[in-house]
Amino acid sequence: MAVSTPQLLTGDEVAGDDDPRYRAMQARDVRFDGWFFVAVTSTGIYCRPSCPSVMPRRDRVRFYPTSAAAQRGGFRACKRCRPDTAPGSPEWNRRGDVVGRAMRSITDGVVDREGVAGLARRLGYSARQLQRLLVTEVGAGPLELARAQRAETARILIETTDLRVADVAFAAGFGSIRQFNDTVRSVFGEAPTEMRDRALRSARRHNGSPRSVPGGDASAPASVTLRLAYRQPFPSAPLFGFLAVRAVPGVEEGDGDHYRRALTLPHGSGVATVSDGGDGALRCVLQLEDLRDLTMAAKRLRYLFDLDADPAAVSEVLGTDPVLGPAVEGLPGLRIPGHVDGDELLVRAVIGQQVSVAGARTIAGRLSAAHGRPLATAVGGVTRRFPTASDLAGLSPGDLPLPEGRGRALLRVAGLLADGEIVLDPGADRDEVGARLLAVPGIGPWTVAYVRMRALGDPDAFLAGDLGVRRALEGLGLPGGERSALALAEQWRPYRAYALQYLWAGGVGPHQVSPPTKEKP
């Protein structure tokens, strides 16, 4: 089996022939980081495939699909390549089955907030069934996967803040100091205080300081600076531009180089300021009312910028296509603009029906000014959170800056969201959500596909009836009707949502944004 792109690596292959993985490891191919992890039996350490350490013998290597599986096997993280900082596997975003949904939900913090029973209930399985499925597919159960994520959050807080160790433990989601200490020692091979001392020494060598939060209570307002890793290439300007054009006044702001927005999180609000560091990662400054929200905020921002995507796999499918190939070659690595809050995305999609992007932005700004909750401290032009579904559900059509028909549709979806009849989080069943939305008067196939793409992270969602798609295809001399677009898009599976980005962008360069249409809120 040839190793050409990470697309060839699947969960089935992890349990089968490992020779392609070893060859990828010999090549130190960074494209495979996050797709699988390499454990060395002679050292007891697990690494990312691109680790620069001395190449171990083949008979001393084991491969795991997740860091949690490697930890379950008794291995600790490499201090040199820091495998926990690699981009995540795009496999979980692509899959719509229960394992994919479970992995996205665990990443979103469901186990920490609701426990394994809550996760199983969301997925419609028993806790025992879910444990068996995850161990079989990814080598670890839900508790072990959540533990690995808590360890990653703990490392960030230990190395980048002056918080007391006890406050780090609870901010990272651990139930006790002992559990925290045992996990950190097991995963990283050193005590929390040793990790902090090493981070301080490293910062001094680089004439800086890793500290971004003063010592104190984890529930006090705090600022943390993060590196959000991605797979290259990553043309950030089109994505920043897409978000900037649609930025709701008071809630968001940005341009082609940065993006800032308010966040609504389980324990309070926050503000994220993101720019491209140009070194394989976005630079993100998170200002949070409560550090317990750090994990969820970071993961939601990864969804927003599609940071776990595999551009090599996308290019393998779309780059040879006669329609899209030239665009992919000219601007490889385009990402799907996601969202940090599925409820907000759906509300804004309804607002944007039959109006321009600028018009939808203005209406959403008026709605936020009237019903959004002010932040305790403004950051730049970001002064308030977007109204929640509960904030909107109790209003009447006359309270909304919308025509009565669209106002009623918005209130209907707000009520369904507030009551939990429709759930738009990363672990939601995409087909079930689509069916429920289509049953709501005023919601059609375009809105459903848009929500699947941006709120639910479906890489194969496609807006066949979109005006921008019609114009792009007709501009290429192809039929632009909905049926013709759907037929053509079959050859772009399973990456039709990425194909959509290239159709929207057309032939524009990396510092331009796609022209707005009335059908792209």
Side-chain angles (χ1 to χ4, degrees):
M1 182 185 297
V3 177
S4 58
T5 74
Q7 185 184 19
L8 298 176
L9 300 176
T10 66
D12 291 337
E13 290 175 338
V14 169
D17 182 10
D18 285 330
D19 288 342
R21 286 162 185 73
Y22 191 67
R23 292 198 296 273
M25 182 182 171
Q26 288 176 312
R28 292 187 168 88
D29 194 332
V30 297
R31 296 175 303 164
F32 291 81
D33 291 350
W35 274 87
F36 64 92
F37 296 84
V38 180
V40 183
T41 58
S42 57
T43 63
I45 289 172
Y46 73 91
C47 305
R48 59 174 75 196
S50 67
C51 182
S53 298
V54 175
M55 184 63 55
R57 286 181 359 206
R58 176 67 182 82
D59 61 346
R60 294 180 178 176
V61 172
R62 296 178 186 172
F63 298 99
Y64 292 95
T66 60
S67 60
Q71 294 165 21
R72 189 174 192 250
F75 296 92
R76 66 182 185 275
C78 175
K79 296 176 184 177
R80 187 171 184 181
C81 71
R82 297 161 69 97
D84 60 310
T85 63
S89 172
E91 181 177 0
W92 314 127
N93 291 339
R94 189 168 63 235
R95 290 174 57 168
D97 62 1
V98 66
V99 172
R101 293 173 58 205
M103 292 297 287
R104 294 194 296 272
S105 294
I106 293 168
T107 298
D108 201 45
V110 170
V111 171
D112 289 333
R113 296 192 299 272
E114 303 175 22
V116 176
L119 173 64
R121 187 167 52 251
R122 281 172 173 252
L123 300 174
Y125 281 69
S126 71
R128 181 176 298 181
Q129 288 174 313
L130 187 58
Q131 170 78 14
R132 184 169 62 250
L133 281 169
L134 288 174
V135 170
T136 300
E137 287 263 357
V138 304
L143 284 176
E144 292 157 325
L145 291 161
R147 172 181 177 266
Q149 183 163 277
R150 287 195 293 271
E152 178 185 350
T153 301
R155 179 193 59 76
I156 293 170
L157 292 174
I158 289 168
E159 295 181 346
T160 65
T161 78
D162 281 325
L163 282 174
R164 295 186 297 267
V165 170
D167 291 324
V168 169
F170 293 114
F174 289 94
S176 69
I177 302 297
R178 180 176 180 179
Q179 182 189 60
F180 164 71
N181 285 328
D182 289 347
T183 297
V184 170
R185 287 194 182 95
S186 173
V187 173
F188 301 110
E190 57 187 348
T193 52
E194 294 172 326
M195 289 184 69
R196 179 161 280 172
D197 290 342
R198 181 165 53 81
L200 280 169
R201 290 194 299 271
S202 176
R204 292 190 185 105
R205 284 197 301 270
H206 292 87
N207 298 318
S209 172
R211 299 294 182 248
S212 54
V213 181
D217 188 348
S219 63
S223 174
V224 180
T225 300
L226 306 175
R227 291 181 75 257
L228 302 176
Y230 54 72
R231 294 180 179 87
Q232 297 191 29
F234 181 83
S236 59
L239 191 51
F240 282 124
F242 182 97
L243 297 172
V245 167
R246 292 156 178 80
V248 176
V251 176
E252 308 165 278
E253 63 180 8
D255 53 31
D257 298 314
H258 89 288
Y259 175 71
R260 176 182 290 134
R261 72 154 294 137
L263 304 171
T264 299
L265 300 162
H267 300 100
S269 61
V271 175
T273 304
V274 185
S275 58
D276 191 357
D279 58 351
L282 296 181
R283 182 180 185 273
C284 173
V285 178
L286 274 173
Q287 291 161 275
L288 302 172
E289 289 184 346
D290 194 315
L291 276 174
R292 289 176 294 175
D293 289 322
L294 174 63
T295 299
M296 183 176 183
K299 298 303 180 183
R300 290 293 175 97
L301 289 166
R302 294 195 67 83
Y303 297 145
L304 172 64
F305 290 99
D306 195 18
L307 298 184
D308 293 332
D310 177 18
V314 174
S315 292
E316 185 170 290
V317 174
L318 304 183
T320 58
D321 181 76
V323 176
L324 297 177
V328 175
E329 182 180 355
L331 189 61
L334 274 186
R335 296 307 206 267
I336 299 168
H339 211 280
V340 297
D341 189 318
D343 291 6
E344 177 186 326
L345 187 278
L346 176 55
V347 168
R348 290 173 61 173
V350 174
I351 288 173
Q353 291 174 352
Q354 306 304 313
V355 298
S356 67
V357 170
R361 179 176 179 268
T362 298
I363 295 170
R366 291 174 183 167
L367 188 70
S368 298
H371 305 290
R373 300 184 185 184
L375 298 173
T377 303
V379 181
V382 176
T383 60
R384 64 186 63 248
R385 296 186 286 177
F386 194 83
T388 65
S390 297
D391 294 333
L392 299 174
L395 303 178
S396 65
D399 298 323
L400 304 175
L402 292 167
E404 185 172 348
R406 255 188 304 140
R408 291 189 184 280
L410 188 150
L411 295 178
R412 276 192 291 266
V413 297
L416 291 169
L417 293 168
D419 294 340
E421 295 295 321
I422 294 177
V423 177
L424 297 176
D425 62 24
D429 184 317
R430 293 162 178 164
D431 292 335
E432 181 181 330
V433 168
R436 292 193 176 191
L437 285 175
L438 282 174
V440 179
I443 303 295
W446 186 96
T447 301
V448 171
Y450 191 76
V451 168
R452 286 184 66 128
M453 180 180 72
R454 293 200 61 195
L456 303 182
D458 184 356
D460 201 39
F462 189 68
L463 285 66
D466 180 71
L467 180 59
V469 170
R470 174 186 287 273
R471 289 174 174 171
L473 293 178
E474 290 177 347
L476 294 168
L478 297 170
E482 186 169 346
R483 289 186 179 180
S484 298
L486 277 174
L488 179 64
E490 282 299 309
Q491 63 200 39
W492 301 331
R493 288 184 182 274
Y495 298 117
R496 294 186 303 172
Y498 291 95
L500 182 64
Q501 308 314 308
Y502 284 101
L503 291 174
W504 278 352
V508 301
H511 294 288
Q512 295 173 282
V513 297
S514 55
T517 77
K518 291 187 177 182
E519 299 183 272
K520 281 199 297 174

